Amino acid sequence: MSGADRVEALLDDAACRLEAAGMSNAAGEARMLLAHQLGCSPSRFRIWPEALVGDDDAETFRTLVAARAGGRPLAYITEECEFWSLPLKVTPATLIPRPDTETLVEAAIACPLPEVARVLDVGTGSGAVALALAQERPDWYVTASETSGEALAVAETNASTLGLKVTFVEGDLLAPFHETDAWDLIVSNPPYVAADDPHLCCGDLRYEPQSALAAGADGLDVIRPLVAGALQRLAPGGWLLLEHGYDQALAIAALLKEAGFGSCFMQHDLAGNPRVSGGRRED
C-alpha cells in the first residue's frame, strides 16, 4: 500500500492537533473520528496500532480532525450520538442529546402510570426521549411531535434503525392534537435558554439549531404555553414533565401551580442541578 500511514502515527498527530485546539478528550476523539472514517470500532486501534491506512482515508480523516479542531461538534461530524445507551443519528437540524436529558427519561419511567400508557413527547428533535421511553416501556403508546420537518425525518430514521415503535407528528407544541386527547404523560425538553445568554455563542451551541435552544428574554416563552395547554390534554391523574435550566425551577413551579397542577416536584440531574419539574392533573 503505497504512501500509507500507520494508525498509531495518524492518531498521535490528530490528538496533538485536537489538544492544541483545547479538546479535553483529544485522544479519545481522534480514535472516534478515525473509527468513523474507517467504519470500525475504536477498540480496533488498540489491537492493531501498526495497521496501515490508505491515502484517501488518511486525507479525509485529517479533514475531519481539522473540522473538529475548528469547533464543529463531534456528533455532527460523525452524525451519531449515544443517549440512554441507544446509538442515535443526529444532524445540524437536531440538538445533540445530552446526559442531563436522561433525567427526564428517569422521571418519566418512575411516574405511576397505567401499564399501557399513552405518552406524548413534545419537541422530540432526534427522537431521543421518545425512543428511550419506547425502549424501556414497550407496552406504552408513544407519540412524538416536532416543529421541524428535517428533525422529524431524523427521528423517524432513528426509530426505524432501532426497531422501536413511535408515532411521529409534525406540528408546533400541542397544536396537532385535540383538546379531547387524554394523555397519561406529556414530556418535553423544550427550548429554555434566554435569547441573550452568552453560552449560545460558545462551544457546540454555536452549531445547534437556535430555535431549539432559545426561548425569549427569560427562556420561558415556549414553556409558558406548553404548561398552560397541557392540563386539559391529560387524562385524570396524568403527568406533565419538563426539562429546564438550573435556575428556572422556581419559575416553572409557579407556572405549574397557576395552571392547576398538583403533586408538583423537581428532580436534580447527576451534577446536582435542578433539571426536571413536573406536576399531575389531580381531578
Side-chain angles (χ1 to χ4, degrees), residues 47-62:
I47 302 171
W48 293 297
E50 74 283 356
L52 299 178
V53 178
D55 287 345
D56 290 345
D57 281 328
E59 181 178 353
T60 303
F61 169 65
R62 293 187 181 100

Side-chain angles (χ1 to χ4, degrees), residues 13-38:
D13 179 68
C16 287
R17 291 175 182 270
L18 294 176
E19 187 173 2
M23 305 304 166
S24 59
N25 183 27
E29 292 198 5
R31 288 193 295 271
M32 285 187 276
L33 287 170
L34 186 57
H36 168 72
Q37 177 59 30
L38 299 181

Side-chain angles (χ1 to χ4, degrees), residues 3-271:
D5 292 273
R6 286 167 56 98
V7 161
E8 189 174 38
L10 279 174
L11 290 177
D12 285 347
D13 179 68
C16 287
R17 291 175 182 270
L18 294 176
E19 187 173 2
M23 305 304 166
S24 59
N25 183 27
E29 292 198 5
R31 288 193 295 271
M32 285 187 276
L33 287 170
L34 186 57
H36 168 72
Q37 177 59 30
L38 299 181
C40 66
S41 168
S43 62
R44 174 181 174 183
F45 307 137
R46 299 185 186 278
I47 302 171
W48 293 297
E50 74 283 356
L52 299 178
V53 178
D55 287 345
D56 290 345
D57 281 328
E59 181 178 353
T60 303
F61 169 65
R62 293 187 181 100
T63 300
L64 300 181
V65 171
R68 180 62 184 130
R72 187 169 181 80
L74 179 67
Y76 286 163
I77 297 174
T78 63
E79 294 194 339
E80 184 172 313
C81 181
E82 185 177 284
F83 179 83
W84 202 260
S85 299
L86 298 174
L88 300 178
K89 174 183 174 67
V90 294
T91 76
T94 69
L95 291 182
I96 300 168
R98 289 169 170 80
D100 287 346
T101 302
E102 294 190 353
T103 308
L104 182 60
V105 177
E106 293 168 354
I109 61 179
C111 278
L113 298 177
E115 185 173 344
V116 182
R118 297 185 69 233
V119 177
L120 173 62
D121 174 26
V122 177
T124 196
S126 64
V129 172
L131 293 168
L133 295 179
Q135 170 80 4
E136 290 298 317
R137 297 290 187 267
D139 290 333
W140 286 2
Y141 291 97
V142 181
T143 299
S145 68
E146 172 56 51
T147 306
S148 165
E150 288 182 86
L152 201 65
V154 174
E156 289 172 335
T157 296
N158 283 326
S160 177
T161 301
L162 295 168
L164 294 171
K165 187 176 180 180
V166 173
T167 300
F168 294 99
V169 178
E170 185 171 353
D172 186 39
L173 299 179
L174 298 168
F177 309 102
H178 300 293
E179 291 188 6
T180 55
D181 288 335
W183 303 97
D184 298 298
L185 172 65
I186 298 175
V187 298
S188 183
N189 175 18
Y192 58 75
V193 181
D196 62 353
D197 191 314
H199 292 95
L200 292 171
C201 300
C202 303
D204 289 355
L205 297 183
R206 294 172 294 167
Y207 294 83
E208 295 183 85
Q210 296 299 293
S211 61
L213 289 167
D218 61 0
L220 298 175
D221 280 7
V222 173
I223 289 177
R224 285 191 186 93
L226 183 53
V227 172
L231 192 70
Q232 60 195 9
R233 289 175 169 85
L234 287 169
W239 292 85
L240 171 66
L241 304 181
L242 300 168
E243 178 175 335
H244 54 74
Y246 73 94
D247 57 351
Q248 295 173 323
L250 291 178
I252 291 175
L255 290 173
L256 290 168
K257 183 178 180 180
E258 180 182 350
F261 284 91
S263 302
C264 296
F265 73 96
M266 184 275 293
Q267 188 163 323
H268 294 83
D269 60 25
L270 289 175

